[in-house]
């Protein structure tokens, strides 16, 4: 595509790849170029229509996820709420949500780091474990989120968590540190590869 920006086959394949990565706006841009280059191509027109409905579905899911995230944090941080089963379920839902990229991003965008730190600071083991596991989901494979979380979490808070004598809490903390390390290591490798490719060109 750098050599020939009008290569429709490459544009179409890139749009499919971008769609698979969830980058629907860029995928749509490539498909629109395909349609402009070959206006009578039914496959391109159909793919563009299909992408439009996928984008609408994604917007619906994201707005629904926003309200779910807000409701879960509200329930978990509500000192008046005495139903521990409800709180446990909300904590588990938060952990599960953080494992998927759209959910992780929504948690992060909805001031999730600050709210998770509040959960960690409650001193309640179940809430602390839930916060650490949610942080793990937010960090996995996402370098910039990991850097922010590591900065906000800080060494003091991490050491305080590791000093607590609870096996489950320690395992959750070690797992978070391992995921952070792996994510940052992969990020550095990508950066080095990118720089090498730029220098080679």
């Amino acid at each position: 595509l750098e050599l020939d920006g009008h290569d429709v086959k490459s544009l179409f394949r890139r749009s499919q790849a971008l769609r698979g990565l969830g980058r629907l706006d860029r995928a749509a841009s490539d498909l629109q170029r395909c349609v402009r280059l070959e206006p009578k191509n039914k496959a391109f027109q159909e793919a563009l229509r299909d992408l439009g409905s996928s984008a609408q579905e994604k917007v619906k899911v994201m707005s629904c996820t926003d309200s779910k995230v807000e409701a879960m944090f509200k329930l978990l941080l509500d000192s008046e709420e005495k139903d521990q089963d409800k709180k446990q379920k909300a904590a588990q839902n938060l952990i599960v949500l953080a494992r998927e990229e759209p959910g992780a991003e929504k948690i992060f965008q909805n001031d999730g780091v600050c709210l998770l730190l509040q959960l960690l600071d409650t001193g309640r083991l179940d809430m602390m474990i839930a916060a650490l596991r949610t942080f793990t989901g937010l960090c996995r494979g996402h370098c910039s989120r990991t850097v922010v979380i590591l900065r906000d979490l800080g060494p003091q808070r991490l050491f305080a968590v590791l000093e607590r004598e609870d096996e489950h809490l320690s395992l959750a903390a070690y797992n978070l540190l391992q995921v952070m390390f792996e994510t940052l290591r992969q990020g550095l490798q990508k950066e080095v590869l990118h720089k090498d490719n730029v220098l080679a060109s």
Side-chain angles (χ1 to χ4, degrees):
L1 283 168
E2 282 179 18
L3 294 173
D4 179 9
H6 299 295
D7 184 341
V8 286
K9 191 182 270 190
S10 297
L11 273 170
F12 184 68
R13 286 184 178 153
R14 185 170 71 179
S15 79
Q16 299 298 87
L18 288 165
R19 180 180 177 167
L21 291 168
R23 296 160 74 179
L24 302 185
D25 51 342
R26 292 212 33 222
S29 174
D30 280 353
L31 272 174
Q32 287 164 350
R33 280 178 63 195
C34 288
V35 170
R36 278 196 300 276
L37 293 167
E38 289 187 17
K40 292 183 181 177
N41 188 315
K42 299 277 187 226
F44 295 161
Q45 292 171 2
E46 193 174 310
L48 192 57
R49 270 196 305 277
D50 188 38
L51 187 65
S53 59
S54 293
Q56 287 175 341
E57 188 60 35
K58 186 177 178 181
V59 167
K60 242 181 2 189
V61 167
M62 294 301 251
S63 61
C64 178
T65 305
D66 264 349
S67 55
K68 280 182 186 174
V69 168
E70 200 177 303
M72 281 183 267
F73 275 121
K74 193 172 182 181
L75 179 66
L76 288 168
L77 294 167
D78 184 2
S79 55
E80 303 293 310
E81 180 59 64
K82 301 298 177 203
D83 190 339
Q84 292 309 310
D85 285 343
K86 255 187 191 177
K87 284 196 173 202
Q88 198 62 43
K89 193 177 262 188
Q92 286 304 312
N93 286 341
L94 209 54
I95 294 165
V96 170
L97 200 58
R99 290 182 185 149
E100 300 289 326
E101 180 51 32
E105 192 55 32
K106 281 298 163 191
I107 292 170
F108 189 75
Q109 289 173 1
N110 281 300
D111 204 20
V113 175
C114 181
L115 295 168
L116 287 167
L117 291 175
Q118 286 178 44
L119 277 184
L120 204 55
D121 292 342
T122 61
R124 290 193 42 213
L125 283 175
D126 55 343
M127 293 298 113
M128 292 174 79
I129 292 168
L132 291 170
R133 289 181 177 161
T134 305
F135 274 135
T136 302
L138 296 182
C139 289
R140 194 177 307 278
H142 203 288
C143 216
S144 57
R145 279 201 304 251
T146 301
V147 169
V148 170
I149 290 166
L150 195 53
R151 181 200 67 208
D152 290 354
L153 196 53
Q156 295 298 86
R157 203 180 253 117
L158 267 173
F159 294 144
V161 167
L162 291 169
E163 282 174 358
R164 296 279 298 255
E165 289 186 25
D166 181 83
E167 185 182 350
H168 297 294
L169 187 66
S170 295
L171 283 173
Y174 288 130
N175 189 36
L176 171 60
L177 288 169
Q178 186 177 0
V179 166
M180 284 176 154
F181 174 76
E182 188 59 29
T183 299
L184 294 172
R185 188 178 64 77
Q186 287 173 355
L188 283 172
Q189 283 177 337
K190 283 180 189 171
E191 216 174 280
V192 168
L193 278 173
H194 177 69
K195 283 179 183 170
D196 287 349
N197 288 341
V198 168
L199 289 172
S201 331

